Amino acid sequence: MAERKQALLVFSKPPIPGLVKTRLTEANGGFLTNEQAAQFFKFCLYDVCEAAMNALLELQYENDQLVASDPTADKITYDFILSTPEKHLDLMKETFDEIGPWPMEIHFMTDSGATFDDHFDDAFAQIFGQGYEHIVSIGADIPTLPKSHIKQSFQWLDYFHSIGKAGFVCAPCQECGTSLVGASSDTPINHQGVYYNMHGVPALDAYMAKVREKDIPTAYFAPIADIDERTDLAHALSCMKAIEQAAKYQPDLFVPKRVLSWCALMGIHVSTPPNEEHDPRQYIDE
């Protein structure tokens, strides 16, 4: 039996007014104050982290059951890690202490670099340097994150490992970027030129160029919308309400209750212009 470690990594700033979700604010064409945008982000952060923890706990339970039934099976430990700039570390810890305890221990870390690409590389290098086999990373502004994305990401990286390959997993956002990215310690890939790209190449396309060049086995998951602008929030809110309704019959769904409650408290609702167009089918049928 081998013992292995795998990590779920969340990149996040703390919910400071004027620092997060600024495109949702009135000053930038949105409808929230800086304080409201920070509140919204904080509830996103809480819901995303709880969903991720629940997915890890399910993976941990499944592995514990496997080891109990087959002593030769590998024992896997799943850890939850949150990375933030060093100057915000104490505030981030306080943010989570506000509503603790959490379902899992939160391992806090800091990352550094001149660009987001550098921050990605630094965080991944630190975690792999501690002996972790796989990392799956997500952002904090994706409250519609399915738990199944996280579970399947680790499962695919394990599958690639089982066939002697070092793989890559990804889920895009709604605008050619990424909401989830994962790799193994020996996957021949970095994040340079992905998020800080001077040639107009979207992040998802930049990753795909890297995996094509090295012929890296890749698993793809359905897009998870992040929330930067008011239209993103409208889309996510409709989806979250659908998730809430469907969860009555799909118990595996995670309902982002904090974000939904905050939107209800703020009186935020989604509307579209009346559709006054006539159905053209009658002309098509003729």
Side-chain angles (χ1 to χ4, degrees):
M1 178 184 72
E3 293 194 8
R4 299 154 52 197
K5 297 193 301 180
Q6 303 182 7
L8 187 286
L9 170 64
V10 178
F11 282 104
S12 181
K13 305 171 189 175
I16 299 175
L19 181 66
V20 295
K21 297 300 143 198
T22 54
R23 280 183 276 174
L24 289 174
T25 63
E26 297 166 334
N28 294 291
F31 61 99
L32 301 178
T33 65
N34 284 335
E35 291 72 19
Q36 290 168 343
Q39 288 176 351
F40 167 74
F41 179 73
K42 179 166 68 172
F43 293 126
C44 276
L45 174 65
Y46 287 159
D47 279 342
V48 169
C49 289
E50 185 178 356
M53 289 180 185
N54 285 357
L56 294 182
L57 289 171
E58 290 176 11
L59 285 168
Q60 190 69 70
Y61 176 79
E62 291 167 8
N63 181 253
D64 290 346
Q65 294 296 106
L66 175 62
V67 171
S69 63
D70 179 6
T72 66
D74 290 351
K75 178 176 174 55
I76 303 174
T77 299
Y78 297 93
D79 286 333
F80 180 92
I81 301 175
L82 191 142
S83 190
T84 196
E86 184 173 5
K87 65 181 179 180
H88 297 315
L89 181 59
D90 289 340
L91 179 57
M92 187 62 86
K93 290 180 179 178
E94 293 171 7
T95 299
F96 279 85
D97 287 342
E98 285 181 15
I99 64 166
W102 286 84
M104 294 183 69
E105 179 181 0
I106 301 173
H107 300 271
F108 291 95
M109 65 173 288
T110 62
D111 55 72
S112 61
T115 68
F116 195 41
D117 300 341
D118 294 340
H119 283 267
F120 250 94
D121 281 342
D122 181 49
F124 272 55
Q126 288 187 56
I127 296 170
F128 285 141
Q130 297 173 29
Y132 284 89
E133 176 187 34
H134 306 319
I135 298 172
V136 174
S137 64
I138 57 175
D141 58 350
I142 49 173
T144 58
L145 169 72
K147 292 186 301 177
S148 56
H149 273 36
I150 291 176
K151 296 180 66 175
Q152 291 173 20
S153 292
F154 284 108
Q155 290 164 350
W156 271 104
L157 290 172
D158 279 339
Y159 169 72
F160 294 141
H161 175 269
S162 74
I163 61 173
K165 302 285 187 178
F168 178 80
V169 296
C170 65
C173 67
Q174 73 277 29
E175 294 184 343
C176 307
T178 61
S179 291
L180 179 152
V181 169
S184 299
S185 59
D186 54 348
T187 302
I189 196 169
N190 60 31
H191 308 277
Q192 293 301 307
V194 173
Y195 300 101
Y196 187 71
N197 187 290
M198 302 301 290
H199 305 288
V201 179
L204 184 62
D205 290 341
Y207 275 126
M208 291 304 101
K210 289 175 180 287
V211 300
R212 279 194 299 270
E213 179 185 1
K214 299 291 182 65
D215 193 24
I216 300 170
T218 300
Y220 170 90
F221 305 105
I224 318 167
D226 58 11
I227 301 174
D228 289 321
E229 301 181 2
R230 60 193 302 159
T231 52
D232 300 333
L233 177 54
H235 173 252
L237 182 53
S238 290
C239 290
M240 287 187 284
K241 289 181 177 179
I243 290 170
E244 183 179 40
Q245 183 65 31
K248 297 175 183 178
Y249 300 95
Q250 288 179 274
D252 288 342
L253 292 178
F254 178 86
V255 180
K257 295 180 179 179
R258 298 178 183 89
V259 178
L260 280 169
S261 295
W262 184 84
C263 289
L265 178 66
M266 295 295 296
I268 299 172
H269 66 278
V270 180
S271 63
T272 61
N275 182 359
E276 298 178 352
E277 298 293 331
H278 294 290
D279 187 350
R281 177 168 295 280
Q282 58 180 311
Y283 305 110
I284 295 174
D285 290 344
E286 291 176 359

